[in-house]
Amino acid sequence: MSKAKPHTTLSAKNISIGYKDKVVVQHINFEVYPSELVAIVGINGVGKSTLLRTLANLQRPLAGEILLKSKSLEHYTTTALASEISIVLTEPSASKNLTVYELIALGRQPYTNWIGSLSEEDEAKITEVITMLQLEELKHQKCFELSDGQLQRVMIARALAQDTDIILLDEPTTHLDIYHKVQILKLLKNIARETGKTIVFTSHEIEMSLQLCDQMLLLKPTSSPFGKPKELIAKGSFNDLFPRDTVSFDAQTETFRITK
Amino acid sequence: MKKTGSYRIPFIFLLLALSLSFVLNISFGSVSIPFTQVLSELFSGKIENESWNYILWSYRLPKALTAILSGGGLALSGLLMQTLFRNPLAGPFVLGISSGASLGAALLIMGSSIFSGILSFGLINTISLAIAASAGSFLVLLVVLAVATRVKDTMALLIIGLMFGSITAAIVSVLSYFTTSEELQRYVYWSFGSLGDVSWSQVSLLSGIVIIGIALSIASIKTLNALLLGENYAKSLGVQLQKSRYIIIIATALLAGSITAFAGPIAFVGLAVPHLARQLFNTTNHQVLVPAVLLCGAILMLLCDLIAQIPSSANVLPINAITSIIGAPVVIWLLTRKQKMLF
C-alpha cells in the first residue's frame, strides 16, 4: 500500500470557541489521523469541554473552521454526522432504568429503521462490542446498579456500537480511582489501535496522557500547542501551565512536582 | 433491546384483561341488565328488552369507549412527558397541562357571558370546548418546555406545574364571581370529570384526535428511545431535536387537551400508568411501552369507571375522585418500594 500520510479525520483551522458573549479559547489548530489516541488537556475551566462540544457539533465555533474528512463540519446534517462522530459525555444517560444491553443497542440508531428495530447485523455488532469490552456479565443489569467505572465502560461501548470513525469523550476518567483510570485509557488506546478509529478525549490527567497518547492538545487561553508528547515536552509547553511557585514540570521524569 | 416478540404473552394477557373489563364495564350501571343479555347483545345483537338495547347502545357503549380512549390517551401523554422532560413525576396533571385545559374550558364556558360583546358566537359546543381546552394545554406545554430547556432542575418544572394550577384556580374563581350560576355549575360538573354524557358523534371526534395523537407517538418511538440517553446523546444519534420535541409536544397536547375537554381533568392516570407498565414489562423500550401504556391505561380507566358507577345504584361518583384514590397510593407505593423513581 502507499506510504503516503493517511488523510486527517478531524482538523481545526484556527478556531475560537466559547459562547455568544464570551470567547473561551482562541487560535486552536490541530490535525488528527486514524488509529490515533489524542488528549485535550489543560487546567480546570480552560474550556476543554467547550472544545469537545464544539467538535461534536453540539455548539458552533465562534470563528475558524472544523474539517471532518476534509469537509466542513457545518455541511453535515445531524443524520449524516451520527454515523461519523459518536460521543461520551460527562453526563451519564438520562434514564438509569435502561439495561446495559438496551443502552448499547441505542448506539445502533443511525442504522435502524423508522421504528428502531434491530437487524441481525445490528445485534452482531452489539454482541461484538459487548465481548470487546467484557460486559457479558453485566448485559442484563440496569444502569442504576452499576459502579461509575462500569457505567463509563458501558457508555464507551455505546459509542463503539455507533461504529463511527471518530469517538469524542469528555473527561472519561473523572470519579475513577487510578486503576480504573488506567484501565479506561488503555482500553481507549487498544480500541484506536485495533479498529483504526480516532479517539479524542479531554482530561486533566496530564501525566497519564503523556504516557499513552499519540498526540496532545494543550489548551491555553492564548496559544494552544499541539503535537506528540515528546515534542511538547521538548518545547517546554508544560513548564508554565501552572504557577511555578506551586507546581512545576519536571521534563526528566515527565511529571509535575509540588514546589517546596 | 429485547426482541419485541418475547413480550407476546403479557400483551395477550393485557388484551384479555381489556376485553374482560370492557364487558364488565358495560354490564353494570344504574339499571341492572343480566350479564348473559349483555353478551348476547354484543355477539349476536339479540336482547330481550328494547330499553336495555337503548341503554347499551346510547349510553354504556359510548361511555366505555370514552373510558378506553381517555385512559389510554392520558397514559400515553404521561409516558411522552416523562421521557421528554426526563422526569419520572411528569404527567398531564402534575405539569399543569390539565390546568391549562381547565383554564381554556373555564374561559370558554364562563367567560363567554362576561365577554359576550367579543365572543358573541354563543356556540359552546363540544368542538369549541375541545379546541379551547387543547389550546390551553398546548400553551402551558410550550411554557413548560421553554422553562425545561433553560432550567435543568426537574423540581423547578414541577413547581411551575403547581403554579399553573394556582393561576388557573385564581382565574376560575374570578370568573365564577362574575358568571351566572348555570355556567358555574356547568364548569364545576365538567371539572369533576365524567365519561358519560358523550354522544356517538363526540366519541368519534375524540377517537379521531386520539388516533392522531397515537400515530404521532408511534412515529416518535425511535426518538423517544434516543431521548432516554439525554438530549445531547440523542442529537449525536441523529435526532433532530427541535422538530422531534414539537411533534411530541403536539401529540401530548392533542391527547391531554382533547381528553380533558371531553371527560374533564382526570388525575393520576397519566402519571401512574407508565410506571405500572414499566414494572409489568421491565423495559424502557418505547416499542413495548407505547402499546403497553395504551392497554394498561384503558383497563385502569374502565375499572375506575366501573367503581364510579357504584353498580346497581343511581349515583355516579366523579371519575376524577376515583382515579386519585387509586392513583395516588400507586405512586406512593412505587416511591417507597424502589427508593427512587426511574423513568
Side-chain angles (χ1 to χ4, degrees):
Chain A
M1 297 301 282
S2 81
K3 287 205 172 165
K5 223 178 178 190
H7 290 293
T8 58
T9 39
L10 194 64
S11 59
K13 302 254 180 277
N14 205 18
I15 59 167
S16 300
I17 55 166
Y19 303 89
K20 254 179 224 160
D21 45 357
K22 190 175 166 241
V23 181
V24 179
V25 189
Q26 286 176 308
H27 311 302
I28 304 170
N29 287 286
F30 64 81
E31 285 182 343
V32 295
Y33 297 90
S35 298
E36 278 189 344
L37 180 66
V38 181
I40 299 169
V41 295
I43 58 170
N44 281 342
V46 73
K48 298 188 291 287
S49 296
T50 311
L51 176 59
L52 200 90
R53 290 173 53 87
T54 313
L55 295 178
N57 208 25
L58 294 174
Q59 63 188 69
R60 297 207 172 280
L62 299 177
E65 196 177 31
I66 299 169
L67 295 177
L68 171 61
K69 295 182 179 168
S70 50
K71 186 175 146 188
S72 174
L73 198 63
E74 284 170 35
H75 297 146
Y76 284 86
T77 62
T78 316
T79 325
L81 210 57
S83 47
E84 298 290 347
I85 296 179
S86 55
I87 54 173
V88 178
L89 300 173
T90 41
E91 61 201 57
S93 98
S95 166
K96 300 276 184 304
N97 207 10
L98 287 157
T99 65
V100 168
Y101 190 88
E102 283 177 329
L103 196 150
I104 296 173
L106 285 175
R108 296 304 296 169
Q109 275 222 348
Y111 312 99
T112 54
N113 63 1
W114 68 277
I115 205 166
S117 296
L118 298 172
S119 67
E120 278 178 19
E121 193 192 330
D122 294 324
E123 283 174 0
K125 186 75 203 175
I126 296 163
T127 315
E128 181 195 321
V129 168
I130 287 179
T131 319
M132 188 169 168
L133 269 68
Q134 296 159 9
L135 293 167
E136 288 98 341
E137 284 171 18
L138 303 177
K139 203 156 76 171
H140 299 299
Q141 291 215 34
K142 299 256 183 188
C143 287
F144 65 85
E145 298 168 323
L146 304 179
S147 69
D148 286 346
Q150 289 170 331
L151 193 58
Q152 192 60 265
R153 258 161 57 216
V154 172
M155 295 309 283
I156 294 172
R158 191 209 61 83
L160 272 176
Q162 203 174 329
D163 204 11
T164 55
D165 286 342
I166 299 167
I167 302 179
L168 303 175
L169 305 99
D170 195 8
E171 304 275 3
T173 56
T174 23
H175 306 309
L176 301 180
D177 58 40
I178 187 153
Y179 167 69
H180 287 97
K181 273 179 187 163
V182 175
Q183 193 191 30
I184 295 280
L185 290 181
K186 286 184 100 170
L187 175 71
L188 294 176
K189 177 97 177 170
N190 284 338
I191 293 168
R193 284 285 171 282
E194 284 167 24
T195 61
K197 294 178 193 300
T198 305
I199 299 182
V200 180
F201 69 98
T202 62
S203 179
H204 32 237
E205 301 296 333
I206 301 177
E207 295 172 7
M208 271 185 216
S209 308
L210 281 171
Q211 295 177 48
L212 277 166
C213 292
D214 299 299
Q215 299 207 77
M216 283 172 85
L217 177 71
L218 181 55
L219 211 58
K220 293 186 216 169
T222 43
S223 75
S224 304
F226 175 75
K228 294 194 168 62
K230 295 273 183 239
E231 294 170 6
L232 291 180
I233 294 172
K235 272 196 277 178
S237 305
F238 295 101
N239 295 350
D240 57 349
L241 187 61
F242 300 111
R244 279 186 205 210
D245 51 355
T246 323
V247 180
S248 60
F249 186 74
D250 178 26
Q252 223 75 56
T253 53
E254 299 181 5
T255 50
F256 286 94
R257 292 288 163 97
I258 300 170
T259 317
K260 283 174 186 158
Chain B
M1 314 246 153
K2 250 201 293 188
K3 276 257 169 32
T4 8
S6 57
Y7 293 103
R8 194 169 293 141
I9 293 161
F11 270 121
I12 290 171
F13 173 75
L14 278 186
L15 278 173
L16 284 177
L18 179 66
S19 335
L20 184 69
S21 25
F22 179 75
V23 174
L24 278 178
N25 185 281
I26 60 168
S27 304
F28 293 99
S30 48
V31 176
S32 58
I33 302 173
F35 192 60
T36 48
Q37 290 294 313
V38 174
L39 287 183
S40 109
E41 172 68 28
L42 276 183
F43 291 109
S44 56
K46 282 181 206 139
I47 195 158
E48 284 172 10
N49 191 323
E50 199 47 46
S51 62
W52 288 350
N53 187 32
Y54 179 79
I55 290 170
L56 272 182
W57 280 101
S58 313
Y59 184 69
R60 289 193 189 168
L61 275 175
K63 183 165 70 74
L65 286 176
T66 313
I68 291 175
L69 290 169
S70 51
L74 284 175
L76 181 57
S77 75
L79 175 70
L80 296 180
M81 268 180 271
Q82 289 174 6
T83 304
L84 183 67
F85 292 116
R86 305 179 293 279
N87 190 333
L89 282 175
F93 210 76
V94 183
L95 286 179
I97 283 86
S98 298
S99 302
S102 301
L103 187 60
L107 282 173
L108 188 74
I109 294 175
M110 302 195 288
S112 57
S113 67
I114 301 168
F115 311 109
S116 51
I118 315 157
L119 286 163
S120 55
F121 308 109
L123 279 171
I124 309 181
N125 53 27
T126 357
I127 294 174
S128 58
L129 193 60
I131 292 171
S134 296
S137 61
F138 189 69
L139 273 179
V140 172
L141 257 176
L142 281 184
V143 175
V144 170
L145 187 79
V147 176
T149 46
R150 221 162 282 183
V151 189
K152 290 265 182 271
D153 186 6
T154 47
M155 280 303 286
L157 278 181
L158 303 182
I159 293 166
I160 286 161
L162 285 175
M163 293 305 113
F164 271 113
S166 309
I167 294 171
T168 308
I171 295 178
V172 166
S173 59
V174 169
L175 284 173
S176 52
Y177 187 77
F178 290 105
T179 194
T180 62
S181 56
E182 289 82 18
E183 282 168 347
L184 180 59
Q185 194 186 29
R186 202 176 154 200
Y187 174 76
V188 169
Y189 272 110
W190 175 84
S191 68
F192 278 160
S194 163
L195 302 171
D197 314 321
V198 271
S199 66
W200 276 107
S201 62
Q202 288 165 2
V203 171
S204 41
L205 178 66
L206 179 61
S207 48
I209 301 173
V210 170
I211 285 168
I212 296 173
I214 294 174
L216 288 175
S217 312
I218 291 174
S220 306
I221 283 178
K222 192 172 167 178
T223 309
L224 288 166
N225 279 334
L227 282 172
L228 288 174
L229 292 173
E231 294 193 342
N232 284 331
Y233 287 114
K235 193 180 174 196
S236 84
L237 283 168
V239 170
Q240 287 166 312
L241 278 182
Q242 209 64 7
K243 195 179 110 195
S244 328
R245 254 199 223 127
Y246 279 117
I247 293 177
I248 295 170
I249 285 193
I250 289 168
T252 315
L254 281 177
L255 288 167
S258 65
I259 291 163
T260 311
F262 284 103
I266 297 173
F268 283 104
V269 175
L271 170 59
V273 171
H275 289 287
L276 281 176
R278 280 187 207 104
Q279 288 286 304
L280 201 57
F281 287 86
N282 196 26
T283 182
T284 44
N285 184 353
H286 288 80
Q287 283 184 25
V288 178
L289 282 183
V290 168
V293 295
L294 284 173
L295 287 172
C296 292
I299 294 167
L300 189 75
M301 203 56 143
L302 282 169
L303 295 179
C304 283
D305 181 52
L306 186 66
I307 299 169
Q309 284 297 324
I310 323 176
S312 301
S313 136
N315 295 316
V316 179
L317 299 174
I319 189 80
N320 196 359
I322 307 295
T323 54
S324 299
I325 288 170
I326 295 178
V330 166
V331 174
I332 294 172
W333 171 69
L334 284 169
L335 268 170
T336 49
R337 211 179 64 98
K338 297 196 72 180
Q339 311 295 316
K340 53 185 172 186
M341 276 177 112
L342 299 158
F343 66 97

